[in-house]
């Protein structure tokens, strides 16, 4: 690499609750020479960073604007209700929206669930963040409905959660600017889709590597045609000689 060349890198943003560690670990194993920069950002900020060129790709929550962003859905999370440990609904394995009819259900401004009708009773004010809402739940002000990963992210010993039936769900996707599908983005797509390093569906490997493999393959073919590593052409199996140079000497007397 000359002094004017810049080493490639990959800038990945992810939203709270998403755990990209496994994919980052595979990236570092497969592409140790390509640094990966990992940054957590608020869910609402991811789109602007991607379109502004400040990130190459992001692990975001759907929906995204498909007119400017490409996206590959990865998984859908279970929705849960976070409550104090002594709340009545903790006696059940799952909770329905009707079970929350008498509760104040907090609705933070950074909520990632697309509600048509929020269950329960509304609070006088919406908390600014999910973290603020968790504090209010701990204070006995109300309950909070979130994706499971956010309940785990904001875990407290005095709170617990239960699955909530008939509630909106949040899906996580890998997204990137449609006009900027780089080689590094293709590499990360292969990783999140579980492709092996030799998968034919991945992007093409460097030409220098491919040329070297062709040379190695050609050398192995020539050795096989030559009869093995020794390279002796025309050797007959089990004779100890060749077609042009049969074993010298005749049979021993008395045989």
């Amino acid at each position: 690499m000359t002094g004017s060349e810049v080493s490639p890198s990959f800038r990945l943003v992810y939203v709270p609750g998403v755990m990209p560690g496994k994919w980052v670990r595979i990236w570092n194993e497969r592409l140790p020479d390509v640094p990966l920069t990992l940054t957590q950002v608020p869910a609402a900020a991811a789109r602007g960073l991607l379109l502004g060129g400040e990130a190459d790709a992001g692990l975001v929550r759907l929906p995204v604007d498909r007119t400017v962003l490409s996206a590959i859905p990865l998984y859908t999370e279970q929705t849960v209700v976070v409550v104090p440990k002594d709340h009545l609904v903790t006696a059940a394995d799952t909770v329905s929206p009707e079970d929350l009819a008498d509760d104040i259900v907090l609705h933070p401004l950074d909520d990632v669930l697309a509600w048509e009708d929020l269950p329960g009773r509304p609070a006088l004010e919406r908390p600014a963040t999910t973290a603020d809402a968790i504090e209010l739940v701990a204070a006995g002000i109300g309950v909070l409905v979130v994706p499971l990963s956010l309940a785990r992210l904001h875990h407290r010993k005095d709170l617990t959660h239960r699955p909530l039936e008939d509630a909106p769900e949040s899906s996580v996707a890998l997204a990137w600017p449609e006009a900027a599908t780089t080689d590094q983005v293709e590499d990360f797509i292969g990783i999140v889709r579980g492709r092996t390093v030799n998968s034919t569906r991945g992007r093409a490997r460097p030409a220098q590597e491919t040329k070297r493999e062709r040379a190695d393959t050609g050398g192995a073919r020539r050795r096989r045609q030559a009869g093995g590593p020794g390279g002796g052409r025309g050797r007959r199996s089990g004779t100890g000689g060749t077609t042009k140079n049969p074993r010298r000497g005749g049979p021993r007397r008395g045989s």
Side-chain angles (χ1 to χ4, degrees):
M1 179 183 298
T2 65
S4 60
E5 293 178 340
V6 179
S7 176
S9 63
F10 185 61
R11 299 164 298 169
L12 180 71
V13 295
Y14 68 102
V15 299
V18 176
M19 304 298 289
K22 173 185 177 180
W23 298 320
V24 172
R25 183 172 65 255
I26 295 173
W27 176 280
N28 290 333
E29 291 171 356
R30 293 186 184 179
L31 301 161
D33 297 330
V34 183
L36 187 153
T37 302
L38 190 64
T39 307
Q40 180 176 291
V41 300
R47 178 182 185 277
L49 294 173
L50 291 171
L51 295 180
E54 298 175 67
D56 299 301
L59 295 168
V60 303
R61 294 189 181 276
L62 295 176
V64 297
D65 185 352
R66 294 298 186 97
T67 63
V68 290
L69 293 175
S70 296
I72 298 174
L74 301 177
Y75 58 89
T76 298
E77 290 196 63
Q78 184 181 58
T79 300
V80 300
V81 56
V82 180
V83 299
K85 282 193 170 181
D86 59 356
H87 196 285
L88 290 176
V89 300
T90 60
D93 292 330
T94 60
V95 180
S96 70
E98 291 74 20
D99 295 328
L100 305 177
D102 295 330
D103 286 285
I104 292 176
V105 177
L106 302 166
H107 192 200
L109 295 175
D110 64 354
D111 184 23
V112 297
L113 298 173
W115 290 101
E116 291 186 3
D117 295 301
L118 194 70
R121 298 184 291 130
L124 294 178
E125 295 183 3
R126 294 182 64 180
T129 66
T130 298
D132 293 335
I134 290 287
E135 295 295 329
L136 294 175
V137 175
I141 304 299
V143 301
L144 175 66
V145 180
V146 291
L148 177 58
S149 66
L150 290 180
R152 289 173 172 168
L153 178 66
H154 297 287
H155 171 73
R156 289 176 53 123
K157 292 182 179 180
D158 53 347
L159 302 180
T160 188
H161 56 78
R162 291 291 185 273
L164 181 63
E165 300 173 341
D166 301 322
E169 294 177 321
S170 176
S171 296
V172 173
L174 174 66
W176 67 96
E178 187 172 325
T181 307
T182 65
D183 287 346
Q184 286 71 41
V185 169
E186 291 283 3
D187 286 328
F188 199 76
I189 290 171
I191 289 173
V192 299
R193 282 185 161 172
R195 297 175 191 164
T196 64
V197 67
N198 294 321
S199 171
T200 56
R201 295 183 63 190
R203 71 179 180 90
R205 284 171 289 178
Q208 183 177 1
E209 179 181 349
T210 305
K211 183 177 180 180
R212 183 170 60 251
E213 290 181 352
R214 284 201 301 267
D216 292 343
T217 303
R221 186 183 300 112
R222 287 192 294 272
R223 287 194 295 273
R224 286 196 301 270
Q225 292 173 348
R233 292 184 176 273
R235 184 181 299 275
R236 291 181 177 176
S237 174
T239 64
T242 67
T243 55
K244 294 183 178 180
N245 185 25
R247 189 190 303 273
R248 292 182 179 181
R252 293 180 180 178
R253 295 181 179 180
S255 59

